[in-house]
Amino acid sequence: MFTPDRSKYPKHVNGRPEIDLSSGKYTKVWHGPQHPGITGNMALEITLCGDEVVESITHVGYLHRGFEKLMERRTFIQCFPIVCRIAVPEPAFNEYCFSAALEELSDIEIPEQAQWLRTFNLELMRLSSFLMWIGGMAGALGQGTIGQWCVTHRDYVADLFEEMTGGRIYHMYMLPGGVRAPLPPGFKERAFKVFDGIEKMLDAVDKVLYNNYVFKQRTQGLGIITRDMIERYGVVGPNARACGVKRDVRLDEPYVKYDELDFDYVTANASDAYARAVCRFEETLQSIDLCRQVLNKMPKDGPFHTKTPNVMNWKVAPGETYAKAECTRGEYGFYMVTDGSDKPRRVHARGPSMTHAICLMEQLAINTNVSDIAGLMVSIHTYPPEVER
Amino acid sequence: MKLKDVISPFYVWKRAFEKPYTNTNPLETRDGSANYRGFHANDIEMCIGCGTCEAVCQNAAIDMVPVEGVDTTMSDSGLRPKIDYGRCCWCALCVDVCTTASLRLTNEYTWFSSDKDEDFRFIPGIDKKSWDDNELGYRRHEGLELLDYKRQAMDHIPFEDSTKSFIEMFHGYSAKQAKLEAERCVDCGLCIAKCPAHMDIPEYIKAIRDGDFELGAKILYATNPMPATCGRICTHLCETVCSIGVQGDPVAIRWLKRYIIDQIEPGDLKDALGEIFPDNGKKVAIIGAGPGGLSAAYYLRQLGYSTTIYEGREAAGGMIRYGVPEYRMPYDQIDKETNYLKECGVEFKFNTYVGRDIQLENLMDDYDAVYFSVGLTIPYGLGIEGEEHPRVLSGLQVLDDATERVEENPNIGKSVAVIGGGNVAMDCCRVSKRYDADVHLYYRRRISEMPADSDEIHESQGEGVVFHTQAIPVRVEPADNPNQVKLVWGEAEMVTPKDGGRPRPVLQEDKIHTDTFDCIIKAIGQEGNYEFFTGEYKEKLETKWGKIIHNEYMQTSIPKLFVGGDIANPQADAISAIADGHLAAKGIDLFLLHPDDKQMKK
Amino acid sequence: MMLEKLKQTFTVTEVKEQKKNLTFFTVPKEQMEMMLITLRDHHDYKHLSFIVGIDMIEDGVFKLTYMLYNYETNHSFGIHCNIDREKAEMDSFHHLWEQVGTYQRELREMLGINFEGSPRLEENLSLDEGWDGPPPMRRDFDTKEYSNNTYFQREGRVNYDPREYMREQLYPTFPKTESDKLLNGGGKK
């Protein structure tokens, strides 16, 4: 296992260094919660010795809205508009997992077309989120131009979402029983045009960012996640795949229509921030490919929503289940418990950031240079709202 | 270090010559997509103010508020949604559950105001906005159904078999069907106002969803002591205003009512309702044991009055028993209700016809107040030549005979002509069918204008009654066989009067037909019989168009005398009679125990 | 199969196969640690997805759910463990997976469950600034009441109930049905 060099610590008590700030040897810096180099509103409380991090503590809570508690007070359909807010850049996974769990507990089969539309929506969501991430990663290392390219093209994806779902950011599209609307006419052609544009842009990103000496120098060897840390820290998604571990919920436990699509695990071996960046870059391209596949394989039309009980009086028999999906950061899931009433008894949103942003980040930050913290943070790809929920 | 890694990043310059991706606002504006969820628009004419949008809004962004220019009517609460855009999250669930599809979201997403006092809360459709006419924006897509628009079908004896007996035709909902049907309700409560008795319909439907039938029965009895009757033969006006009925089938409120009361065994009503009746020492006489009389007796008992019902016939129920055939209204169900009233302490004096066996004067002297609801019992004549023929029968008489002697043929023969288009006419047709007769129905206007329930019309047709519409009886002629009669009738043409109004049937002189039947049953309506009013009461009693004039608490022009039922209200159905009884009970209470009350004549 | 084997060693109750690759069961509190270790080390359930606490206030217990995942067979076990609600204590498993500590911090913060020996247990994740209420995920904590007492409502909002409004407008004199009284068992009784 990866053990950081702790020789600089004077003393180590109960798993934590005993730092005497008055000794003048250490500096305490708050990185965030308002910091461009951090993903969302969270803060790292960093203790430095020189410019080297000796301790990092993650603070969340700036976005706590108590979603899980709110859902206990709302009827099932009323939960639907709020779940998307649990991970702002990736609302679709919340909608999907919530709907899938509810459908499973109330024995609802959704129609074929709805499954295709869900697959497309989820994959497009991954694409949009990856674009944002690539931009963020470049930005965190001082290459803001690429950030602008990516966000511009993400906006075109948001246009597609707007046409499809009626919303750019919070789509509120996958509701229990299926989806809310069919694809508008001519959507496929417009989508392909957007994908072509993104591929062209990604080609430029590959040249400018991934074959950039500075970028390579700063990310290679940064934040290495060793193989044994994966089990121990519960690492999932591209963070795990960048260590050569093949795990992807889309392939392990195919949901919606992923079993009918042609794709494979995207892996890398170096386990560092650069490998994670490459992994995500490849997955972005894979997402575009999958989106094209879905649009080509999808039937022209068909029912996109199945009749649910009247949503105003929807009661679900007692039960519990766990529905999961592969978001851009790994296993994302909703654990839902019902008790026969019209409101869920307990809903837990399991986001990968809960482990990645806290225990993994705190461990990886040690012994890195303070200027790399932003890059390291982004390379783990965390969204704080899913930590605090 | 690879050389490529140093040179490659300079590719960035290539893109410096590309056109910018941004829009220069306000020179270039970008409209929301055709499906965009922007600001609300509401079609005020279509909206019925049911408040379902308010109920589903998880942000509590919607208030239902009265607006100018929209009146509260029986099918429209007069309220309209007002949206607080400080709270709205544009999820559009309000659009998806809108029962009338009047509410939608437009594709407008910008709104500026230089007036700091201008409120960001407004009523779509009332407060005019620039986007009101935007046709684009989110609407509920065809195929997305968050509400249940389809009614649970009620199983019944197939038409081939139904005419063979007087067994109750409809089986009633099964537990599963009732629950599914109860789940369709959106709890808006528009139906409460339309129901003459103002039954708390959403609450008893909720009791079905919760499986609490005792509570359901309590809610039923709070406004209606004859739920088993109304659960079968009510004219279900409530269903005509059901908000679900705007886009789908209305909730089967009547069948659900029947379901609740069917779950309680006849002997268990007393335990289920758990009522205790006080005694305040006052006595009230009630004339007529029909729905109006029974209802008044029950609510008077609740208030502590001792009540005695005088009924000319040998059993309670009035028109429900003697006017509604058994296949629609089994007699044991009427007995279930009247037996409970007996348990409540209501005293019945059967075979006591007021005016013959006892005089109204005596009742007025002996009791603190008298309530009468004697119903409409004298059939209208056809007003045509030859109708005195012995083979021209009264519809009410036929139904009465059917009640008294179900097994025998009430002397109608094997081919029957029924004249009329109301429920009595339908009952006569179907009763005749059950006596194995060949039945022809003659009605002046079109089927869509028949006053009978559409269900009844449908079932009559299903059972093989031959409908002759736009058919006007011209005269009745004796036939060669003294047991038969000839009906001369003419085809009519619907003519809209020059001054507008309802089209009237006009006889076409050249299209006259003659058919021979074993009997002709006239069922074109009936009027009240006030023969028992004598002396000063006859003089004082005020009537108009054959109906008794009363105040809002059913008090007649004679202060001590209260009225209700078909002789007092224009609807002339069971549920209105029950409502009258309830109102009269309150009126009698105000009259006797609240001497200061200004609404009552003393 | 595997469950049968586990049953020989552990008190496994309330087994429910929710779907093909998800099974729930319950074990007593004291066997939890050995159960997790056995599944992790002998049966390849190496991935801990999450730990959730459910407040079963009517039974007087907190039901903890540990979700384990096997990457080889793609099967999940949801392992329940009921702990007393009054004396909410559970063994700490922070030594088994690193992220357990984080989940245990959250459970302490949101449900008030104590995990003896868990590192940094007292550090709140979310409720840092001025929180003085009870653990908020407990069922008896009423968020509506809290928010009404803590925050103010926007002024000038009035809402009318269609039923009541129609009664006032259309039939104010008709005897009122007091269904709410019936619901409370009062009313006519």
Side-chain angles (χ1 to χ4, degrees), chain B residues 127-184:
Chain B
D127 300 328
K128 292 292 168 221
K129 296 289 168 193
S130 60
W131 53 80
D132 281 348
D133 298 325
N134 279 17
E135 279 306 307
L136 295 179
Y138 183 82
R139 293 166 200 256
R140 180 171 74 85
H141 285 259
E142 197 65 40
L144 174 71
E145 288 187 7
L146 296 191
L147 303 177
D148 192 349
Y149 296 107
K150 202 159 169 1
R151 179 186 280 214
Q152 292 292 312
M154 168 70 96
D155 298 330
H156 63 82
I157 304 176
F159 290 132
E160 307 85 70
D161 299 333
S162 65
T163 51
K164 289 178 187 152
S165 73
F166 279 84
I167 295 172
E168 185 170 21
M169 186 159 167
F170 288 95
H171 300 316
Y173 276 142
S174 68
K176 192 181 162 206
Q177 284 175 316
K179 197 149 182 299
L180 286 172
E181 186 63 27
E183 279 176 3
R184 297 179 59 219

Coordinates of all heavy atoms in Angstrom, one line a residue, chain B residues 127-184:
Chain B
D127 N -52.8 38.2 -15.3 CA -51.8 39.3 -15.4 C -51.1 39.1 -16.7 O -50.4 38.2 -17.0 CB -50.8 39.1 -14.2 CG -51.4 39.2 -12.9 OD1 -52.4 39.9 -12.8 OD2 -50.9 38.6 -11.9
K128 N -51.4 40.1 -17.6 CA -51.0 39.9 -19.0 C -49.4 40.0 -19.1 O -48.8 40.9 -18.5 CB -51.6 41.0 -19.9 CG -53.1 40.8 -20.0 CD -53.5 39.6 -20.8 CE -54.9 39.3 -20.7 NZ -55.2 37.8 -20.6
K129 N -48.9 39.1 -19.8 CA -47.4 39.0 -20.0 C -47.1 38.9 -21.5 O -48.0 38.4 -22.2 CB -46.8 37.9 -19.2 CG -47.0 38.0 -17.7 CD -46.1 39.0 -17.1 CE -46.5 39.3 -15.7 NZ -46.0 40.5 -15.1
S130 N -45.9 39.3 -21.8 CA -45.6 39.3 -23.2 C -45.6 37.9 -23.9 O -45.7 37.7 -25.0 CB -44.2 39.9 -23.4 OG -43.2 39.1 -22.7
W131 N -45.4 36.9 -23.0 CA -45.3 35.5 -23.6 C -46.6 34.8 -23.6 O -46.7 33.6 -24.0 CB -44.3 34.7 -22.8 CG -44.6 34.7 -21.3 CD1 -45.5 33.9 -20.7 CD2 -44.0 35.5 -20.3 NE1 -45.6 34.2 -19.3 CE2 -44.6 35.2 -19.1 CE3 -43.0 36.5 -20.3 CZ2 -44.3 35.8 -17.9 CZ3 -42.7 37.1 -19.1 CH2 -43.3 36.7 -17.9
D132 N -47.7 35.5 -23.3 CA -49.0 34.8 -23.2 C -49.4 34.1 -24.5 O -50.0 33.1 -24.5 CB -50.1 35.7 -22.8 CG -50.1 36.0 -21.3 OD1 -49.4 35.3 -20.6 OD2 -50.8 36.9 -20.8
D133 N -49.0 34.7 -25.6 CA -49.4 34.1 -26.9 C -48.3 33.2 -27.5 O -48.5 32.7 -28.6 CB -49.7 35.3 -27.9 CG -50.9 36.1 -27.4 OD1 -51.8 35.5 -26.8 OD2 -50.9 37.3 -27.5
N134 N -47.2 33.0 -26.8 CA -46.2 32.1 -27.4 C -46.8 30.7 -27.4 O -47.2 30.1 -26.4 CB -45.0 32.0 -26.4 CG -44.0 33.1 -26.6 OD1 -44.4 34.1 -27.2 ND2 -42.8 33.0 -26.1
E135 N -46.8 30.1 -28.6 CA -47.4 28.8 -28.7 C -46.4 27.7 -28.3 O -46.8 26.7 -27.9 CB -47.9 28.6 -30.2 CG -49.2 29.2 -30.5 CD -50.3 28.7 -29.5 OE1 -50.5 27.5 -29.3 OE2 -51.0 29.6 -28.9
L136 N -45.1 28.1 -28.4 CA -44.1 27.1 -28.1 C -43.9 26.9 -26.6 O -44.3 27.8 -25.8 CB -42.8 27.4 -28.7 CG -42.7 27.5 -30.3 CD1 -41.4 27.9 -30.7 CD2 -43.1 26.1 -30.8
G137 N -43.4 25.8 -26.2 CA -43.1 25.6 -24.8 C -43.6 24.3 -24.4 O -44.2 23.5 -25.2
Y138 N -43.4 24.0 -23.1 CA -43.7 22.6 -22.6 C -45.2 22.4 -22.4 O -45.9 23.2 -21.8 CB -43.0 22.3 -21.3 CG -43.2 20.9 -20.8 CD1 -42.5 19.9 -21.3 CD2 -44.2 20.7 -19.9 CE1 -42.7 18.6 -20.9 CE2 -44.5 19.4 -19.4 CZ -43.7 18.3 -20.0 OH -44.0 17.1 -19.5
R139 N -45.7 21.3 -23.0 CA -47.1 20.9 -22.7 C -47.0 19.4 -22.4 O -46.0 18.7 -22.8 CB -48.0 21.0 -23.9 CG -48.3 22.4 -24.3 CD -48.9 22.4 -25.7 NE -48.7 23.7 -26.3 CZ -49.7 24.6 -26.4 NH1 -50.9 24.3 -26.0 NH2 -49.5 25.8 -27.0
R140 N -48.0 18.9 -21.8 CA -48.0 17.4 -21.6 C -48.1 16.7 -22.9 O -49.0 17.0 -23.7 CB -49.2 17.0 -20.7 CG -49.3 15.5 -20.4 CD -50.4 15.2 -19.4 NE -51.7 15.3 -20.0 CZ -52.4 14.4 -20.6 NH1 -51.7 13.2 -20.8 NH2 -53.6 14.5 -21.1
H141 N -47.1 15.8 -23.1 CA -47.1 15.1 -24.4 C -48.2 14.0 -24.4 O -48.4 13.3 -23.4 CB -45.7 14.5 -24.6 CG -44.7 15.5 -25.0 ND1 -44.3 15.7 -26.3 CD2 -44.1 16.4 -24.3 CE1 -43.4 16.7 -26.3 NE2 -43.3 17.1 -25.1
E142 N -48.7 13.8 -25.5 CA -49.7 12.7 -25.7 C -48.9 11.4 -25.4 O -47.8 11.1 -26.0 CB -50.1 12.7 -27.2 CG -51.4 11.9 -27.4 CD -52.6 12.4 -26.7 OE1 -52.7 13.7 -26.7 OE2 -53.4 11.6 -26.2
G143 N -49.4 10.6 -24.5 CA -48.7 9.4 -24.1 C -48.1 9.4 -22.8 O -47.6 8.4 -22.2
L144 N -48.1 10.6 -22.2 CA -47.6 10.8 -20.8 C -48.8 10.9 -19.9 O -49.5 12.0 -20.0 CB -46.6 12.0 -20.7 CG -46.2 12.3 -19.3 CD1 -45.2 11.3 -18.8 CD2 -45.6 13.7 -19.2
E145 N -49.1 9.9 -19.1 CA -50.3 10.0 -18.2 C -49.9 9.8 -16.8 O -49.6 8.7 -16.3 CB -51.3 8.9 -18.7 CG -52.0 9.3 -20.0 CD -53.1 8.3 -20.3 OE1 -53.4 7.5 -19.4 OE2 -53.6 8.4 -21.4
L146 N -49.9 10.9 -16.1 CA -49.6 10.9 -14.7 C -50.8 10.7 -13.9 O -50.8 10.3 -12.7 CB -48.8 12.1 -14.2 CG -47.4 12.3 -14.8 CD1 -46.7 13.4 -14.1 CD2 -46.6 11.0 -14.8
L147 N -52.0 11.0 -14.5 CA -53.2 10.8 -13.8 C -53.9 9.6 -14.6 O -53.5 9.3 -15.7 CB -54.1 12.0 -14.0 CG -53.6 13.3 -13.4 CD1 -54.6 14.4 -13.7 CD2 -53.3 13.2 -11.9
D148 N -54.8 9.0 -13.9 CA -55.5 7.8 -14.5 C -56.8 8.2 -15.1 O -57.7 8.6 -14.4 CB -55.7 6.8 -13.4 CG -56.1 5.4 -13.9 OD1 -56.3 5.3 -15.1 OD2 -56.1 4.5 -13.1
Y149 N -56.8 8.3 -16.4 CA -58.0 8.8 -17.1 C -59.0 7.8 -17.4 O -60.1 8.1 -17.9 CB -57.5 9.5 -18.4 CG -56.7 10.7 -18.2 CD1 -55.3 10.6 -18.5 CD2 -57.2 11.9 -17.7 CE1 -54.5 11.7 -18.3 CE2 -56.4 12.9 -17.4 CZ -55.0 12.9 -17.7 OH -54.2 14.0 -17.5
K150 N -58.7 6.5 -17.2 CA -59.7 5.5 -17.6 C -60.3 4.8 -16.4 O -59.7 4.4 -15.5 CB -58.9 4.4 -18.4 CG -59.8 3.6 -19.3 CD -59.0 2.9 -20.4 CE -59.8 1.9 -21.2 NZ -61.2 1.7 -20.9
R151 N -61.6 4.8 -16.5 CA -62.4 4.3 -15.4 C -62.4 2.7 -15.4 O -62.3 2.1 -16.4 CB -63.9 4.7 -15.7 CG -64.9 4.2 -14.6 CD -66.3 4.6 -15.0 NE -66.5 6.0 -14.7 CZ -67.7 6.5 -14.3 NH1 -68.7 5.7 -14.2 NH2 -67.9 7.8 -14.1
Q152 N -62.5 2.2 -14.1 CA -62.6 0.8 -14.0 C -64.0 0.4 -14.4 O -65.0 0.9 -13.9 CB -62.4 0.4 -12.5 CG -61.1 0.6 -11.9 CD -60.1 -0.3 -12.6 OE1 -60.3 -1.5 -12.6 NE2 -59.0 0.2 -13.0
A153 N -64.1 -0.6 -15.3 CA -65.4 -1.0 -15.8 C -66.1 -1.7 -14.8 O -65.5 -2.5 -14.0 CB -65.2 -1.9 -17.1
M154 N -67.4 -1.5 -14.7 CA -68.3 -2.2 -13.7 C -68.8 -3.4 -14.4 O -69.4 -3.3 -15.4 CB -69.4 -1.2 -13.2 CG -70.5 -1.9 -12.5 SD -70.0 -2.4 -10.9 CE -70.5 -1.1 -9.9
D155 N -68.6 -4.6 -13.8 CA -69.1 -5.8 -14.4 C -70.6 -5.9 -14.2 O -71.2 -5.5 -13.1 CB -68.5 -7.0 -13.7 CG -67.0 -7.0 -13.9 OD1 -66.6 -6.5 -14.9 OD2 -66.3 -7.5 -13.0
H156 N -71.3 -6.4 -15.2 CA -72.8 -6.5 -15.0 C -73.2 -7.8 -15.7 O -72.5 -8.4 -16.6 CB -73.5 -5.3 -15.5 CG -73.4 -5.1 -17.0 ND1 -74.1 -5.7 -18.0 CD2 -72.6 -4.2 -17.7 CE1 -73.7 -5.3 -19.2 NE2 -72.8 -4.4 -19.0
I157 N -74.4 -8.2 -15.4 CA -75.0 -9.4 -16.1 C -75.1 -9.0 -17.6 O -75.6 -8.0 -17.9 CB -76.4 -9.7 -15.5 CG1 -76.3 -9.9 -14.0 CG2 -77.0 -11.0 -16.2 CD1 -77.6 -10.1 -13.3
P158 N -74.7 -9.9 -18.5 CA -74.8 -9.5 -19.9 C -76.2 -9.3 -20.3 O -77.1 -9.9 -19.7 CB -74.2 -10.8 -20.6 CG -74.0 -11.8 -19.6 CD -74.0 -11.2 -18.3
F159 N -76.4 -8.5 -21.3 CA -77.7 -8.1 -21.7 C -78.6 -9.3 -22.1 O -79.8 -9.2 -21.9 CB -77.6 -7.1 -22.9 CG -77.1 -5.7 -22.5 CD1 -76.1 -5.1 -23.2 CD2 -77.5 -5.1 -21.3 CE1 -75.6 -3.9 -22.8 CE2 -77.0 -3.9 -20.9 CZ -76.0 -3.3 -21.7
E160 N -78.0 -10.3 -22.6 CA -78.8 -11.5 -23.0 C -79.5 -12.0 -21.8 O -80.6 -12.5 -21.9 CB -78.0 -12.6 -23.7 CG -77.1 -12.1 -24.8 CD -75.8 -11.6 -24.3 OE1 -74.9 -12.4 -23.8 OE2 -75.6 -10.4 -24.4
D161 N -78.8 -12.0 -20.6 CA -79.4 -12.6 -19.4 C -80.1 -11.6 -18.6 O -81.0 -12.0 -17.8 CB -78.2 -13.3 -18.6 CG -77.5 -14.4 -19.4 OD1 -78.2 -14.9 -20.3 OD2 -76.3 -14.6 -19.2
S162 N -79.7 -10.4 -18.7 CA -80.3 -9.4 -17.7 C -81.8 -9.3 -17.8 O -82.5 -9.0 -16.9 CB -79.6 -8.1 -17.9 OG -80.0 -7.5 -19.1
T163 N -82.3 -9.5 -19.0 CA -83.8 -9.3 -19.2 C -84.6 -10.5 -18.7 O -85.8 -10.5 -18.8 CB -84.1 -9.0 -20.7 OG1 -83.5 -10.1 -21.5 CG2 -83.6 -7.7 -21.1
K164 N -83.9 -11.5 -18.3 CA -84.6 -12.7 -17.9 C -85.0 -12.7 -16.4 O -85.8 -13.5 -16.0 CB -83.7 -14.0 -18.1 CG -83.6 -14.2 -19.6 CD -82.7 -15.4 -19.9 CE -82.4 -15.6 -21.3 NZ -81.1 -16.2 -21.6
S165 N -84.5 -11.8 -15.7 CA -84.9 -11.8 -14.2 C -84.8 -10.4 -13.7 O -84.3 -9.4 -14.3 CB -84.0 -12.7 -13.5 OG -82.7 -12.1 -13.3
F166 N -85.2 -10.2 -12.4 CA -85.1 -8.9 -11.8 C -83.9 -8.9 -10.8 O -83.8 -8.1 -9.9 CB -86.4 -8.7 -11.0 CG -87.5 -8.1 -11.8 CD1 -88.3 -9.0 -12.6 CD2 -87.7 -6.8 -11.9 CE1 -89.3 -8.5 -13.4 CE2 -88.7 -6.3 -12.8 CZ -89.5 -7.1 -13.5
I167 N -82.9 -9.8 -11.0 CA -81.7 -9.8 -10.2 C -80.9 -8.6 -10.5 O -80.9 -8.1 -11.6 CB -80.9 -11.1 -10.5 CG1 -81.7 -12.3 -10.1 CG2 -79.5 -11.0 -9.8 CD1 -81.0 -13.6 -10.6
E168 N -80.3 -8.0 -9.4 CA -79.6 -6.8 -9.6 C -78.6 -6.9 -10.7 O -77.8 -7.9 -10.7 CB -78.9 -6.4 -8.3 CG -78.2 -5.1 -8.4 CD -77.7 -4.5 -7.1 OE1 -77.4 -5.3 -6.2 OE2 -77.4 -3.3 -7.0
M169 N -78.6 -6.0 -11.6 CA -77.8 -6.1 -12.8 C -76.3 -5.9 -12.6 O -75.5 -6.6 -13.1 CB -78.3 -5.1 -13.8 CG -77.7 -5.3 -15.2 SD -78.8 -4.5 -16.4 CE -77.7 -4.5 -17.8
F170 N -75.9 -4.9 -11.8 CA -74.5 -4.6 -11.6 C -74.0 -5.3 -10.4 O -74.6 -5.3 -9.3 CB -74.4 -3.0 -11.5 CG -74.6 -2.4 -12.8 CD1 -75.8 -1.9 -13.2 CD2 -73.5 -2.3 -13.7 CE1 -76.0 -1.3 -14.4 CE2 -73.7 -1.7 -15.0 CZ -74.9 -1.2 -15.3
H171 N -72.8 -5.8 -10.5 CA -72.3 -6.7 -9.5 C -71.6 -5.8 -8.4 O -71.4 -6.3 -7.3 CB -71.2 -7.6 -10.0 CG -71.7 -8.6 -11.0 ND1 -72.9 -9.2 -10.9 CD2 -71.3 -9.0 -12.2 CE1 -73.2 -10.0 -11.9 NE2 -72.2 -9.8 -12.8
G172 N -71.3 -4.6 -8.6 CA -70.5 -3.8 -7.7 C -69.1 -4.0 -7.9 O -68.7 -5.0 -8.4
Y173 N -68.3 -3.1 -7.4 CA -66.8 -3.3 -7.6 C -66.3 -4.3 -6.7 O -66.7 -4.5 -5.6 CB -66.1 -1.9 -7.3 CG -66.1 -1.0 -8.4 CD1 -66.2 0.4 -8.2 CD2 -65.9 -1.4 -9.7 CE1 -66.2 1.3 -9.2 CE2 -65.8 -0.5 -10.8 CZ -66.0 0.9 -10.5 OH -65.9 1.8 -11.5
S174 N -65.2 -5.0 -7.2 CA -64.4 -5.9 -6.3 C -63.5 -5.0 -5.5 O -63.3 -3.8 -5.9 CB -63.6 -6.9 -7.2 OG -62.6 -6.2 -7.9
A175 N -62.9 -5.6 -4.5 CA -62.0 -4.8 -3.7 C -60.9 -4.1 -4.5 O -60.5 -3.0 -4.3 CB -61.4 -5.6 -2.6
K176 N -60.4 -4.9 -5.4 CA -59.2 -4.4 -6.2 C -59.7 -3.2 -7.2 O -59.1 -2.2 -7.3 CB -58.7 -5.5 -7.1 CG -57.4 -5.2 -7.7 CD -56.9 -6.4 -8.5 CE -55.8 -5.9 -9.5 NZ -55.7 -6.7 -10.7
Q177 N -60.9 -3.5 -7.8 CA -61.4 -2.5 -8.7 C -61.7 -1.2 -7.9 O -61.4 -0.1 -8.4 CB -62.7 -2.9 -9.3 CG -62.5 -3.9 -10.4 CD -63.9 -4.4 -10.9 OE1 -64.8 -4.7 -10.1 NE2 -64.0 -4.6 -12.2
A178 N -62.3 -1.3 -6.7 CA -62.7 -0.2 -6.0 C -61.4 0.6 -5.6 O -61.4 1.9 -5.6 CB -63.4 -0.6 -4.7
K179 N -60.3 -0.1 -5.2 CA -59.1 0.6 -4.8 C -58.5 1.4 -6.0 O -58.1 2.5 -5.9 CB -58.1 -0.4 -4.2 CG -57.1 0.2 -3.4 CD -56.6 -0.7 -2.3 CE -55.5 0.0 -1.5 NZ -54.3 0.3 -2.3
L180 N -58.5 0.7 -7.1 CA -57.9 1.3 -8.3 C -58.8 2.5 -8.7 O -58.2 3.6 -9.1 CB -57.9 0.3 -9.5 CG -56.8 -0.7 -9.4 CD1 -57.0 -1.8 -10.5 CD2 -55.4 -0.1 -9.5
E181 N -60.1 2.4 -8.6 CA -60.9 3.5 -9.0 C -60.8 4.6 -8.0 O -60.7 5.8 -8.4 CB -62.4 3.0 -9.1 CG -63.4 4.0 -9.6 CD -63.2 4.5 -11.0 OE1 -62.6 3.7 -11.8 OE2 -63.5 5.6 -11.4
A182 N -60.7 4.3 -6.7 CA -60.5 5.3 -5.7 C -59.2 6.1 -5.9 O -59.1 7.3 -5.6 CB -60.5 4.7 -4.3
E183 N -58.2 5.4 -6.4 CA -56.9 6.0 -6.6 C -56.9 7.0 -7.8 O -56.0 7.9 -7.9 CB -55.8 4.9 -7.0 CG -55.3 4.3 -5.7 CD -54.3 3.2 -6.0 OE1 -54.0 3.0 -7.2 OE2 -53.9 2.5 -5.1
R184 N -57.9 7.0 -8.6 CA -58.0 7.9 -9.7 C -58.3 9.3 -9.2 O -58.1 10.3 -9.9 CB -59.1 7.5 -10.7 CG -58.8 6.2 -11.4 CD -59.8 5.8 -12.3 NE -60.0 6.8 -13.4 CZ -61.1 7.3 -13.9 NH1 -62.2 6.8 -13.5 NH2 -61.1 8.2 -14.8

